[in-house]
Amino acid sequence: MSSPASLLLATKHRVPASRPGTVPRDPLVDRLDRRRGERVVLVSAPAGFGKTTLLAWWAARRDAPVAWVSLDEADTDPVRFLRYVNAAVETASPGSTSATADLFGMPIGTDTEQLLTAFVNELSDGDVDLSVVLDDYHLLESTEVHRAVAFLVEHLPARMGLVIATRADPPLPLPSWRARGLLGEIRAADLRFTLAEAECFLRDTMGVDLSDQDVAVLMDRTEGWPAGMHLAALSLRRSGDPHDFVGRLTGVDRFILDYLMGEVLAALPASHQEFLLRTSILDRLCGSLCDAVTGESGGSTLLEELNRSDALVEALDTDGRWYRSHRLFADLLRHRLGTKHPGLEPEYHRRASGWYESEGMLADAIHHALAGDDRDRAARLIELVAVASLAAGEFATVIGWIESLGAGQLAGRPFLGAVGAMARFYNGRPIESALDWLSVAEAEGAPPVARGAAFTLRAVMAALRGEGRRAREHADRALLLLPHDQAFLRGFAGTAFGLSALAEGDVDGAERAFEDTLQTARVAGLTLLQELAIRRLAIIATTRGDLHQAEARYRSLLEITTGDSPKRRSPFAALALVGLAGIARERGDPEAAEGLIREEIEVLQVLGTPFALEGTVSLGRVLSSRGRFREAAAVMEQAGRLAARFDATTDDDVYVAAMAVRVHLAEGDLKGAARWAEGCEKRASGERVPLPFYPGEVEAGSLARVLLARGMPEEAVAALSAHL
């Protein structure tokens, strides 16, 4: 299965190559460099105003690093978006967010605010002077992504800034930022060429020599619009009478652009024109990809030639492999393609899809298959990559792909029904929508892998409801059905089986399940599943009182998650330290326990439940054991707020409350403990929903302590007997 990082296209998170001879635009560069408290600079203007060119030129000359993300429609998935932002920062400033990168391998269901908070906190620790450019932001249509960007603006470290390049103002709190002095703005009026810049562009960049009067006329006709000036210059280089050409140029932006595009294309050889038209369906261009689309050879040579002559194509990297057409020009070329070759665009998309598949770039292959209305190919490709995308947390991407197929295609693809149901379930969609797709996987005649994936999700759903026996039955059937080459799904099913066994109090069965999951994960090289399994095995050893085995498990977890870099700590490394702290406390060494927790407590507090929750509760217990009851009570209140904030189930709230009562008892607060015990008695009488095994055991242990403190030993024994 592909790792999250392998699913990223490198050219999307690297600064585009800056074209030699780009017009120096010092006032705009000064505005980008001279942030006076602004956290974000909005570069907002219609197509063709040179937003990307300006920012690439600025980034290439800036002393401090610039992280760059070239956005496209697929980045509306919030996890995919944040993964690209993180990759861009790591490319610009290696090591700045290396620990945060581990979060992208977290279990499916990772909260985007957890990612954002960890990302910002790690950047704050490094105190990096860094700017992050989000180019083509107008292509994003996701409320969650907009919320994420707003969060970044509000919380970025002082030495960092965000630059947003867009064709239209995005749905962000711009008025509020403007009023608070957080927003800098560069707009179309700022981006239009001045007369001096137009002269420099025509003479130095494009090699066109015009009289001052003709430059002034051209400025008037194009209103300093960079795209219009660019196309005019291309035509002027081939014009026998530049003065006459300028005089014939009339109209407004769009009409001028259509006219100039026609002039530029007409001056190119027929082969070059066809090349540009047919490849206009591509967001990025390389020689072999273009050859696959056009059915011709020599694409690399043509791209180099067009780039050298400034004819609508610009380099994306320094080694001359990847290029792109300016988006505005590509739009016009696609329009002309539809006029000249009606009905051929889908075929070119299908050819592009085939090339991307051969290169192993399946997300792009899916995009072009869907654009080419080849839904059979798209469905087959989605089946190949869906599990990797699901494991990477890209639920919105998986959902979007499957919804684009239509009900007809899904009906014949039960495996996609199961994976799509998982995506909908973990993306917070209504449970009914997940069950709709799950029914496709459970239809008569569905292959074993589809039914196995469906039973895996059924097991998880049952375990979350505390239905241990049903969860176990589903997980057992999933493991029987899933083939061994589906390592992630088998490991996930094994984890669900282990949790279901714990929910029933079958510790031996749970241990066997997690041992099997660990073995599967090791063979397949799935680090995430190894971490999940080892941590559960450590918890089981602690539950049995085998502190030596528990310590060995936690240290093994530390070794896997930390590797050869002590600073590269994943969330599971933090949980290992919390586990070791618990062992130190049980062994009567609260000072060592507190040291272990303090080592990772700041990381734990930004990762969200269960990571922050367990660390915070553990710290409260250690402080209580050291007699620092007021501090312990404050920490337990903080744990309660965390449990409420990430309220996926009530189990966390029960766990925190039960542990907080032990602090009250240690301090001698029997009145508060008695009030808590009344709620437990209501559960015991059937007035409240029974709890799954683990939180139920914790609550029973705390209740027994309260009853003993109140002089009620027989009642305490009764409270514990159900959990023997």
Side-chain angles (χ1 to χ4, degrees):
M1 183 180 67
S2 302
S3 68
S6 70
L7 300 175
L8 303 184
L9 187 64
T11 53
K12 277 170 56 66
H13 57 83
R14 290 178 181 163
V15 179
S18 180
R19 184 183 294 276
T22 299
V23 177
R25 310 202 70 182
D26 294 337
L28 297 180
V29 169
D30 288 344
R31 193 177 305 185
L32 288 164
D33 277 334
R34 195 173 58 251
R35 293 201 308 266
R36 296 177 297 275
E38 298 100 338
R39 294 180 184 172
V40 59
V41 176
L42 182 71
V43 184
S44 180
F49 274 85
K51 300 181 291 294
T52 301
T53 301
L54 166 69
L55 294 175
W57 192 85
W58 164 71
R61 284 152 184 78
R62 192 168 187 265
D63 292 334
V66 174
W68 187 288
V69 185
S70 296
L71 298 165
D72 56 44
E73 291 86 346
D75 300 321
T76 53
D77 185 310
V79 175
R80 182 183 177 89
F81 169 78
L82 292 174
R83 188 171 288 124
Y84 267 116
V85 172
N86 189 77
V89 170
E90 275 295 291
T91 299
S93 180
S96 297
T97 56
S98 57
T100 306
D102 292 319
L103 275 172
F104 293 115
M106 288 302 300
I108 51 183
T110 298
D111 187 274
T112 52
E113 190 166 325
Q114 294 175 232
L115 298 176
L116 285 164
T117 307
F119 177 75
V120 169
N121 275 277
E122 190 171 10
L123 287 172
S124 298
D125 290 343
D127 192 30
V128 180
D129 183 4
L130 178 72
S131 292
V132 180
V133 174
L134 303 178
D135 195 21
D136 288 326
Y137 191 85
H138 57 275
L139 295 173
L140 302 186
E141 297 180 0
S142 167
T143 301
E144 193 166 356
V145 169
H146 298 320
R147 281 201 297 264
V149 172
F151 183 97
L152 284 174
V153 172
E154 294 289 347
H155 298 92
L156 279 176
R159 299 186 68 197
M160 282 193 64
L162 198 65
V163 181
I164 298 174
T166 176
R167 291 187 184 180
D169 285 6
L172 295 169
L174 302 179
S176 171
W177 295 343
R178 190 179 292 117
R180 294 158 57 196
L182 302 180
L183 179 67
E185 298 175 79
I186 296 175
R187 296 194 170 272
D190 306 302
L191 289 163
R192 294 184 190 278
F193 281 148
T194 65
L195 184 59
E197 288 171 338
E199 290 175 342
C200 176
F201 173 74
L202 292 168
R203 182 185 64 249
D204 298 339
T205 304
M206 303 301 295
V208 174
D209 189 15
L210 285 181
S211 68
D212 293 346
Q213 180 182 356
D214 284 337
V215 172
V217 172
L218 187 57
M219 273 287 295
D220 180 65
R221 296 289 193 270
T222 63
E223 297 182 348
W225 187 30
M229 296 286 288
H230 185 184
L231 286 175
L234 290 174
S235 297
L236 282 164
R237 289 200 304 203
R238 300 175 176 88
S239 173
D241 188 343
H243 177 73
D244 178 66
F245 178 87
V246 171
R248 289 187 284 109
L249 192 61
T250 60
V252 294
D253 283 356
R254 181 73 192 200
F255 298 108
I256 288 179
L257 194 64
D258 284 337
Y259 170 74
L260 290 173
M261 180 65 80
E263 289 283 312
V264 170
L265 289 176
L268 293 174
S271 59
H272 289 49
Q273 293 184 43
E274 280 297 308
F275 177 84
L276 287 170
L277 288 174
R278 295 180 186 184
T279 60
S280 64
I281 60 120
L282 302 170
D283 292 328
R284 293 173 295 275
L285 311 167
C286 78
S288 57
L289 171 57
C290 292
D291 291 345
V293 170
T294 63
E296 306 287 343
S297 60
S300 294
T301 302
L302 270 175
L303 286 171
E304 292 173 10
E305 183 179 333
L306 289 167
N307 179 244
R308 282 197 304 270
S309 64
D310 300 303
L312 314 180
V313 170
E314 58 189 9
L316 283 173
D317 52 26
T318 55
D319 56 9
R321 182 177 184 226
W322 286 98
Y323 300 82
R324 77 166 185 173
S325 295
H326 188 288
R327 285 192 184 273
L328 177 62
F329 302 156
D331 290 344
L332 290 165
L333 286 166
R334 277 193 292 272
H335 176 72
R336 288 176 176 267
L337 172 64
T339 302
K340 185 174 182 180
H341 301 300
L344 284 183
E345 185 173 334
E347 172 60 23
Y348 297 147
H349 277 294
R350 290 191 283 269
R351 294 178 186 178
S353 178
W355 183 89
Y356 275 116
E357 181 182 2
S358 69
E359 294 291 313
M361 302 165 72
L362 298 189
D364 291 282
I366 292 166
H367 164 73
H368 284 286
L370 290 170
D373 200 30
D374 190 347
R375 300 189 185 282
D376 285 335
R377 170 190 282 276
R380 176 177 60 79
L381 293 171
I382 295 168
E383 285 182 330
L384 293 175
V385 76
V387 172
S389 298
L390 187 71
E394 295 184 359
F395 317 122
T397 295
V398 174
I399 293 168
W401 283 339
I402 296 176
E403 287 178 344
S404 296
L405 292 175
Q409 278 288 338
L410 184 60
R413 302 276 182 174
F415 180 66
L416 286 185
V419 176
M422 287 183 175
R424 279 182 164 176
F425 178 76
Y426 286 105
N427 199 45
R429 296 287 185 93
I431 187 67
E432 292 78 16
S433 70
L435 294 176
D436 283 347
W437 280 0
L438 199 59
S439 65
V440 174
E442 296 170 334
E444 185 176 352
V449 65
R451 289 186 290 125
F455 277 121
T456 297
L457 182 56
R458 291 282 187 190
V460 171
M461 290 177 173
L464 289 175
R465 292 192 298 265
E467 299 171 358
R469 180 172 298 178
R470 179 171 295 181
R472 199 168 186 177
E473 290 172 355
H474 290 327
D476 195 23
R477 296 185 70 180
L479 288 168
L480 288 172
L481 289 166
L482 287 169
H484 288 280
D485 62 355
Q486 288 288 345
F488 176 78
L489 289 177
R490 284 189 63 83
F492 194 45
T495 299
F497 188 95
L499 292 174
S500 68
L502 283 178
E504 288 191 290
D506 181 6
V507 179
D508 290 339
E511 185 174 38
R512 288 193 297 273
F514 289 120
E515 288 281 10
D516 290 344
T517 299
L518 178 59
Q519 180 63 24
T520 298
R522 280 175 173 163
V523 171
L526 298 172
T527 303
L528 164 63
L529 285 175
Q530 290 183 58
E531 293 170 344
L532 281 168
I534 292 173
R535 177 172 175 266
R536 282 293 171 184
L537 289 168
I539 291 173
I540 288 172
T542 304
T543 302
R544 286 177 164 157
D546 188 347
L547 299 187
H548 291 291
Q549 176 70 8
E551 182 178 11
R553 292 290 191 188
Y554 281 126
R555 296 215 175 273
S556 172
L557 182 57
L558 267 181
E559 183 177 348
I560 289 177
T561 55
T562 305
D564 58 2
S565 174
K567 293 183 179 180
R568 188 177 176 83
R569 287 275 170 85
S570 86
F572 282 99
L575 290 176
L577 289 169
V578 170
L580 290 171
I583 292 172
R585 183 180 53 78
E586 291 287 348
R587 287 174 170 165
D589 191 352
E591 184 176 353
E594 184 176 355
L596 285 164
I597 295 175
R598 296 288 188 189
E599 184 179 349
E600 284 292 304
I601 195 65
E602 291 184 7
V603 175
L604 289 167
Q605 286 176 339
V606 304
L607 295 180
T609 189
F611 311 110
L613 192 60
E614 294 199 22
T616 307
V617 169
S618 184
L619 178 60
R621 295 185 70 189
V622 168
L623 292 172
S624 175
S625 66
R626 302 191 73 181
R628 291 152 62 181
F629 301 118
R630 182 170 296 180
E631 291 178 66
V635 168
M636 286 301 189
E637 286 181 10
Q638 181 185 4
R641 290 192 294 271
L642 283 170
R645 179 182 174 191
F646 299 100
D647 206 9
T649 71
T650 60
D651 298 354
D652 291 336
D653 305 82
V654 171
Y655 169 72
V656 171
M659 288 301 186
V661 163
R662 301 186 188 188
V663 174
H664 293 313
L665 285 174
E667 192 178 6
D669 180 9
L670 293 182
K671 187 179 293 185
R675 284 195 301 271
W676 170 84
E678 290 175 4
C680 298
E681 291 166 358
K682 288 182 179 179
R683 193 192 309 282
S685 66
E687 295 182 37
R688 290 169 61 188
V689 178
L691 291 168
F693 166 73
Y694 182 66
E697 181 188 71
V698 172
E699 185 179 76
S702 294
L703 178 59
R705 286 171 167 80
V706 174
L707 293 170
L708 284 171
R710 296 172 66 187
M712 304 166 67
E714 293 181 3
E715 289 82 351
V717 170
L720 293 171
S721 61
H723 293 271
L724 283 176

